[in-house]
Amino acid sequence: MAHQIAMANPEHITADVIEATEFPELSRRYGVMAVPKIIINDVVQFEGAVPEEMFVEQVKRALEMQ
Amino acid sequence: MAEFISKRDQDFLREKFDSELSNDVTVNLFSRRETRITLPGVDPQVTEYCAQANQLMNEVASLSNKINLNIYDFITDASKAQDYRIDKVPAIVLESAGSSGAPRFFGLPAGYEFSTFLQDILDVSNGNIDLSDETQQQLREITKEVHILVFTTPT
């Protein structure tokens, strides 16, 4: 889903899928306890699969918080 | 090392790529080469993960002549890594003339993520975006930088 979102606006949106066990320090820094865990611009985070409308809402929320 | 992709899956994927890939896809893999000695400051586990990613990407690339594999070394090809904004390895960036998007993976896209990886290959090749028109419209209106991290595990 995140990759689809990035592909819709590649000029501004980057999406990285990260294998948590291979990057334990990064996972610890972001407090990854359950997967998938999504972090947007370091300000919004949520866990689990969500419908696309909700994902986009979270992206907008992250932009509003900056 | 045994193959990651079983013979049966190889046959299935070869056919799928043959019938569903339109534009060529480049798989850019950034990794660290294995060395005979353990380099100080380099986690040997990272080299192991890189070797696995190297093998899996070679297996995938061998399944279609439309999939091209570029392997870059994180240290000796540092400028390339910088161009792609790669700050950790193994890292995979997919590119194709079919899409201006470039899906990024850090770590081995194994298990459930392997199907995401395969779907991404098809999507960049075909310029397909599996989102509603309305969602895509909303996303196109974004003019600020958005960086999404998705933490996953293979199981």
mmCIF file of all heavy atoms in Angstrom, chain B residues 46-76:
data_model
loop_
_atom_site.group_PDB
_atom_site.id
_atom_site.type_symbol
_atom_site.label_atom_id
_atom_site.label_comp_id
_atom_site.label_asym_id
_atom_site.label_seq_id
_atom_site.Cartn_x
_atom_site.Cartn_y
_atom_site.Cartn_z
ATOM 1 N N VAL B 46 25.262 -8.340 8.829
ATOM 2 C CA VAL B 46 24.865 -7.499 7.700
ATOM 3 C C VAL B 46 25.379 -8.088 6.391
ATOM 4 O O VAL B 46 24.663 -8.153 5.393
ATOM 5 C CB VAL B 46 25.380 -6.046 7.881
ATOM 6 C CG1 VAL B 46 25.166 -5.214 6.622
ATOM 7 C CG2 VAL B 46 24.707 -5.386 9.072
ATOM 8 N N THR B 47 26.625 -8.578 6.407
ATOM 9 C CA THR B 47 27.193 -9.196 5.210
ATOM 10 C C THR B 47 26.392 -10.441 4.838
ATOM 11 O O THR B 47 26.181 -10.725 3.662
ATOM 12 C CB THR B 47 28.674 -9.578 5.454
ATOM 13 O OG1 THR B 47 29.175 -8.801 6.535
ATOM 14 C CG2 THR B 47 29.494 -9.322 4.251
ATOM 15 N N GLU B 48 25.956 -11.162 5.837
ATOM 16 C CA GLU B 48 25.145 -12.362 5.606
ATOM 17 C C GLU B 48 23.801 -11.979 4.964
ATOM 18 O O GLU B 48 23.367 -12.594 3.992
ATOM 19 C CB GLU B 48 24.929 -13.090 6.948
ATOM 20 C CG GLU B 48 23.932 -14.241 6.937
ATOM 21 C CD GLU B 48 24.349 -15.390 6.029
ATOM 22 O OE1 GLU B 48 25.559 -15.534 5.775
ATOM 23 O OE2 GLU B 48 23.449 -16.116 5.552
ATOM 24 N N TYR B 49 23.141 -10.954 5.496
ATOM 25 C CA TYR B 49 21.878 -10.484 4.915
ATOM 26 C C TYR B 49 22.088 -10.027 3.473
ATOM 27 O O TYR B 49 21.251 -10.266 2.603
ATOM 28 C CB TYR B 49 21.309 -9.304 5.731
ATOM 29 C CG TYR B 49 20.811 -9.666 7.115
ATOM 30 C CD1 TYR B 49 20.993 -8.803 8.190
ATOM 31 C CD2 TYR B 49 20.114 -10.851 7.331
ATOM 32 C CE1 TYR B 49 20.535 -9.116 9.454
ATOM 33 C CE2 TYR B 49 19.646 -11.171 8.600
ATOM 34 C CZ TYR B 49 19.856 -10.296 9.662
ATOM 35 O OH TYR B 49 19.386 -10.606 10.910
ATOM 36 N N CYS B 50 23.220 -9.383 3.218
ATOM 37 C CA CYS B 50 23.537 -8.907 1.869
ATOM 38 C C CYS B 50 23.736 -10.079 0.908
ATOM 39 O O CYS B 50 23.281 -10.040 -0.232
ATOM 40 C CB CYS B 50 24.781 -8.026 1.875
ATOM 41 S SG CYS B 50 24.477 -6.391 2.565
ATOM 42 N N ALA B 51 24.402 -11.121 1.385
ATOM 43 C CA ALA B 51 24.629 -12.304 0.547
ATOM 44 C C ALA B 51 23.289 -12.950 0.183
ATOM 45 O O ALA B 51 23.079 -13.380 -0.955
ATOM 46 C CB ALA B 51 25.519 -13.297 1.286
ATOM 47 N N GLN B 52 22.366 -12.985 1.149
ATOM 48 C CA GLN B 52 21.034 -13.551 0.883
ATOM 49 C C GLN B 52 20.282 -12.707 -0.140
ATOM 50 O O GLN B 52 19.665 -13.239 -1.066
ATOM 51 C CB GLN B 52 20.217 -13.618 2.179
ATOM 52 C CG GLN B 52 20.727 -14.649 3.168
ATOM 53 C CD GLN B 52 19.925 -14.637 4.466
ATOM 54 O OE1 GLN B 52 19.056 -13.793 4.652
ATOM 55 N NE2 GLN B 52 20.210 -15.566 5.346
ATOM 56 N N ALA B 53 20.348 -11.386 0.036
ATOM 57 C CA ALA B 53 19.650 -10.484 -0.892
ATOM 58 C C ALA B 53 20.238 -10.644 -2.292
ATOM 59 O O ALA B 53 19.506 -10.691 -3.289
ATOM 60 C CB ALA B 53 19.772 -9.043 -0.416
ATOM 61 N N ASN B 54 21.571 -10.749 -2.348
ATOM 62 C CA ASN B 54 22.255 -10.942 -3.616
ATOM 63 C C ASN B 54 21.756 -12.204 -4.325
ATOM 64 O O ASN B 54 21.440 -12.196 -5.516
ATOM 65 C CB ASN B 54 23.759 -11.055 -3.304
ATOM 66 C CG ASN B 54 24.607 -10.755 -4.501
ATOM 67 O OD1 ASN B 54 24.361 -11.301 -5.565
ATOM 68 N ND2 ASN B 54 25.597 -9.881 -4.340
ATOM 69 N N GLN B 55 21.651 -13.278 -3.558
ATOM 70 C CA GLN B 55 21.195 -14.538 -4.153
ATOM 71 C C GLN B 55 19.749 -14.450 -4.625
ATOM 72 O O GLN B 55 19.411 -14.845 -5.744
ATOM 73 C CB GLN B 55 21.337 -15.681 -3.143
ATOM 74 C CG GLN B 55 21.017 -17.029 -3.795
ATOM 75 C CD GLN B 55 20.885 -18.160 -2.809
ATOM 76 O OE1 GLN B 55 21.564 -18.175 -1.792
ATOM 77 N NE2 GLN B 55 20.017 -19.100 -3.114
ATOM 78 N N LEU B 56 18.879 -13.894 -3.767
ATOM 79 C CA LEU B 56 17.456 -13.816 -4.129
ATOM 80 C C LEU B 56 17.260 -12.946 -5.377
ATOM 81 O O LEU B 56 16.499 -13.308 -6.280
ATOM 82 C CB LEU B 56 16.626 -13.274 -2.951
ATOM 83 C CG LEU B 56 15.123 -13.165 -3.196
ATOM 84 C CD1 LEU B 56 14.497 -14.525 -3.521
ATOM 85 C CD2 LEU B 56 14.407 -12.554 -1.993
ATOM 86 N N MET B 57 17.969 -11.814 -5.451
ATOM 87 C CA MET B 57 17.812 -10.928 -6.605
ATOM 88 C C MET B 57 18.330 -11.586 -7.886
ATOM 89 O O MET B 57 17.758 -11.428 -8.957
ATOM 90 C CB MET B 57 18.521 -9.584 -6.367
ATOM 91 C CG MET B 57 17.885 -8.739 -5.286
ATOM 92 S SD MET B 57 16.112 -8.480 -5.535
ATOM 93 C CE MET B 57 15.436 -9.382 -4.148
ATOM 94 N N ASN B 58 19.439 -12.338 -7.759
ATOM 95 C CA ASN B 58 19.939 -13.082 -8.922
ATOM 96 C C ASN B 58 18.929 -14.117 -9.393
ATOM 97 O O ASN B 58 18.727 -14.301 -10.587
ATOM 98 C CB ASN B 58 21.275 -13.750 -8.592
ATOM 99 C CG ASN B 58 22.459 -12.847 -8.917
ATOM 100 O OD1 ASN B 58 22.694 -12.526 -10.074
ATOM 101 N ND2 ASN B 58 23.169 -12.397 -7.902
ATOM 102 N N GLU B 59 18.268 -14.771 -8.438
ATOM 103 C CA GLU B 59 17.254 -15.766 -8.805
ATOM 104 C C GLU B 59 16.091 -15.098 -9.530
ATOM 105 O O GLU B 59 15.612 -15.595 -10.550
ATOM 106 C CB GLU B 59 16.754 -16.503 -7.552
ATOM 107 C CG GLU B 59 17.763 -17.494 -7.000
ATOM 108 C CD GLU B 59 17.234 -18.263 -5.792
ATOM 109 O OE1 GLU B 59 16.012 -18.451 -5.674
ATOM 110 O OE2 GLU B 59 18.067 -18.671 -4.950
ATOM 111 N N VAL B 60 15.637 -13.953 -9.005
ATOM 112 C CA VAL B 60 14.493 -13.257 -9.620
ATOM 113 C C VAL B 60 14.871 -12.781 -11.023
ATOM 114 O O VAL B 60 14.125 -12.975 -11.985
ATOM 115 C CB VAL B 60 14.035 -12.067 -8.741
ATOM 116 C CG1 VAL B 60 13.029 -11.194 -9.487
ATOM 117 C CG2 VAL B 60 13.424 -12.568 -7.430
ATOM 118 N N ALA B 61 16.067 -12.182 -11.145
ATOM 119 C CA ALA B 61 16.493 -11.637 -12.436
ATOM 120 C C ALA B 61 16.650 -12.730 -13.492
ATOM 121 O O ALA B 61 16.466 -12.483 -14.682
ATOM 122 C CB ALA B 61 17.791 -10.860 -12.264
ATOM 123 N N SER B 62 16.959 -13.947 -13.027
ATOM 124 C CA SER B 62 17.158 -15.043 -13.982
ATOM 125 C C SER B 62 15.834 -15.536 -14.578
ATOM 126 O O SER B 62 15.810 -16.306 -15.527
ATOM 127 C CB SER B 62 17.873 -16.210 -13.300
ATOM 128 O OG SER B 62 16.980 -16.900 -12.445
ATOM 129 N N LEU B 63 14.714 -15.076 -14.020
ATOM 130 C CA LEU B 63 13.407 -15.583 -14.456
ATOM 131 C C LEU B 63 12.817 -14.821 -15.640
ATOM 132 O O LEU B 63 11.812 -15.238 -16.210
ATOM 133 C CB LEU B 63 12.415 -15.561 -13.281
ATOM 134 C CG LEU B 63 12.811 -16.431 -12.083
ATOM 135 C CD1 LEU B 63 11.844 -16.218 -10.941
ATOM 136 C CD2 LEU B 63 12.845 -17.907 -12.486
ATOM 137 N N SER B 64 13.417 -13.682 -15.986
ATOM 138 C CA SER B 64 12.900 -12.933 -17.132
ATOM 139 C C SER B 64 14.001 -12.080 -17.727
ATOM 140 O O SER B 64 14.786 -11.470 -16.994
ATOM 141 C CB SER B 64 11.738 -12.028 -16.694
ATOM 142 O OG SER B 64 11.429 -11.112 -17.727
ATOM 143 N N ASN B 65 14.064 -12.038 -19.063
ATOM 144 C CA ASN B 65 15.070 -11.157 -19.665
ATOM 145 C C ASN B 65 14.630 -9.707 -19.624
ATOM 146 O O ASN B 65 15.350 -8.818 -20.058
ATOM 147 C CB ASN B 65 15.460 -11.618 -21.080
ATOM 148 C CG ASN B 65 14.261 -11.775 -21.975
ATOM 149 O OD1 ASN B 65 13.181 -11.253 -21.661
ATOM 150 N ND2 ASN B 65 14.420 -12.484 -23.075
ATOM 151 N N LYS B 66 13.450 -9.446 -19.085
ATOM 152 C CA LYS B 66 13.015 -8.058 -18.896
ATOM 153 C C LYS B 66 13.395 -7.531 -17.516
ATOM 154 O O LYS B 66 13.127 -6.386 -17.187
ATOM 155 C CB LYS B 66 11.493 -7.955 -19.082
ATOM 156 C CG LYS B 66 11.091 -8.040 -20.540
ATOM 157 C CD LYS B 66 9.645 -7.732 -20.734
ATOM 158 C CE LYS B 66 9.331 -7.636 -22.222
ATOM 159 N NZ LYS B 66 7.891 -7.515 -22.459
ATOM 160 N N ILE B 67 13.974 -8.385 -16.678
ATOM 161 C CA ILE B 67 14.413 -7.946 -15.356
ATOM 162 C C ILE B 67 15.945 -7.877 -15.360
ATOM 163 O O ILE B 67 16.630 -8.873 -15.582
ATOM 164 C CB ILE B 67 13.918 -8.896 -14.242
ATOM 165 C CG1 ILE B 67 12.386 -8.972 -14.270
ATOM 166 C CG2 ILE B 67 14.393 -8.406 -12.872
ATOM 167 C CD1 ILE B 67 11.794 -9.931 -13.264
ATOM 168 N N ASN B 68 16.447 -6.659 -15.166
ATOM 169 C CA ASN B 68 17.897 -6.448 -15.176
ATOM 170 C C ASN B 68 18.367 -6.124 -13.766
ATOM 171 O O ASN B 68 17.745 -5.335 -13.071
ATOM 172 C CB ASN B 68 18.237 -5.293 -16.109
ATOM 173 C CG ASN B 68 17.596 -5.490 -17.466
ATOM 174 O OD1 ASN B 68 17.842 -6.484 -18.130
ATOM 175 N ND2 ASN B 68 16.722 -4.569 -17.845
ATOM 176 N N LEU B 69 19.474 -6.739 -13.397
ATOM 177 C CA LEU B 69 19.983 -6.556 -12.042
ATOM 178 C C LEU B 69 21.270 -5.737 -12.041
ATOM 179 O O LEU B 69 22.219 -6.056 -12.752
ATOM 180 C CB LEU B 69 20.234 -7.937 -11.407
ATOM 181 C CG LEU B 69 20.870 -7.972 -10.016
ATOM 182 C CD1 LEU B 69 19.995 -7.267 -8.990
ATOM 183 C CD2 LEU B 69 21.121 -9.426 -9.589
ATOM 184 N N ASN B 70 21.277 -4.650 -11.279
ATOM 185 C CA ASN B 70 22.497 -3.873 -11.046
ATOM 186 C C ASN B 70 22.891 -4.065 -9.592
ATOM 187 O O ASN B 70 22.079 -3.823 -8.707
ATOM 188 C CB ASN B 70 22.254 -2.375 -11.256
ATOM 189 C CG ASN B 70 22.055 -2.027 -12.709
ATOM 190 O OD1 ASN B 70 22.496 -2.749 -13.590
ATOM 191 N ND2 ASN B 70 21.371 -0.923 -12.942
ATOM 192 N N ILE B 71 24.112 -4.488 -9.361
ATOM 193 C CA ILE B 71 24.569 -4.655 -7.977
ATOM 194 C C ILE B 71 25.626 -3.599 -7.668
ATOM 195 O O ILE B 71 26.616 -3.484 -8.387
ATOM 196 C CB ILE B 71 25.123 -6.075 -7.734
ATOM 197 C CG1 ILE B 71 24.020 -7.097 -8.009
ATOM 198 C CG2 ILE B 71 25.635 -6.216 -6.299
ATOM 199 C CD1 ILE B 71 24.456 -8.542 -7.874
ATOM 200 N N TYR B 72 25.356 -2.823 -6.648
ATOM 201 C CA TYR B 72 26.290 -1.782 -6.234
ATOM 202 C C TYR B 72 26.816 -2.098 -4.850
ATOM 203 O O TYR B 72 26.069 -2.589 -3.991
ATOM 204 C CB TYR B 72 25.593 -0.418 -6.185
ATOM 205 C CG TYR B 72 25.039 0.023 -7.506
ATOM 206 C CD1 TYR B 72 23.664 0.013 -7.739
ATOM 207 C CD2 TYR B 72 25.886 0.458 -8.530
ATOM 208 C CE1 TYR B 72 23.145 0.421 -8.952
ATOM 209 C CE2 TYR B 72 25.373 0.873 -9.742
ATOM 210 C CZ TYR B 72 24.012 0.855 -9.958
ATOM 211 O OH TYR B 72 23.496 1.252 -11.151
ATOM 212 N N ASP B 73 28.102 -1.781 -4.649
ATOM 213 C CA ASP B 73 28.675 -1.953 -3.324
ATOM 214 C C ASP B 73 28.504 -0.652 -2.538
ATOM 215 O O ASP B 73 28.799 0.432 -3.045
ATOM 216 C CB ASP B 73 30.160 -2.313 -3.433
ATOM 217 C CG ASP B 73 30.765 -2.570 -2.065
ATOM 218 O OD1 ASP B 73 30.515 -3.661 -1.523
ATOM 219 O OD2 ASP B 73 31.433 -1.671 -1.535
ATOM 220 N N PHE B 74 27.999 -0.807 -1.337
ATOM 221 C CA PHE B 74 27.670 0.354 -0.489
ATOM 222 C C PHE B 74 28.889 1.249 -0.269
ATOM 223 O O PHE B 74 28.758 2.470 -0.176
ATOM 224 C CB PHE B 74 27.137 -0.170 0.848
ATOM 225 C CG PHE B 74 26.559 0.877 1.744
ATOM 226 C CD1 PHE B 74 25.642 1.813 1.285
ATOM 227 C CD2 PHE B 74 26.907 0.921 3.083
ATOM 228 C CE1 PHE B 74 25.095 2.769 2.123
ATOM 229 C CE2 PHE B 74 26.366 1.866 3.939
ATOM 230 C CZ PHE B 74 25.466 2.794 3.449
ATOM 231 N N ILE B 75 30.079 0.649 -0.209
ATOM 232 C CA ILE B 75 31.289 1.424 0.076
ATOM 233 C C ILE B 75 31.950 1.938 -1.206
ATOM 234 O O ILE B 75 32.158 3.138 -1.371
ATOM 235 C CB ILE B 75 32.321 0.561 0.862
ATOM 236 C CG1 ILE B 75 31.681 0.002 2.145
ATOM 237 C CG2 ILE B 75 33.579 1.363 1.174
ATOM 238 C CD1 ILE B 75 31.159 1.042 3.109
ATOM 239 N N THR B 76 32.208 1.016 -2.147
ATOM 240 C CA THR B 76 32.952 1.446 -3.333
ATOM 241 C C THR B 76 32.078 2.222 -4.323
ATOM 242 O O THR B 76 32.581 2.997 -5.118
ATOM 243 C CB THR B 76 33.618 0.243 -4.041
ATOM 244 O OG1 THR B 76 32.607 -0.712 -4.346
ATOM 245 C CG2 THR B 76 34.668 -0.398 -3.156
#
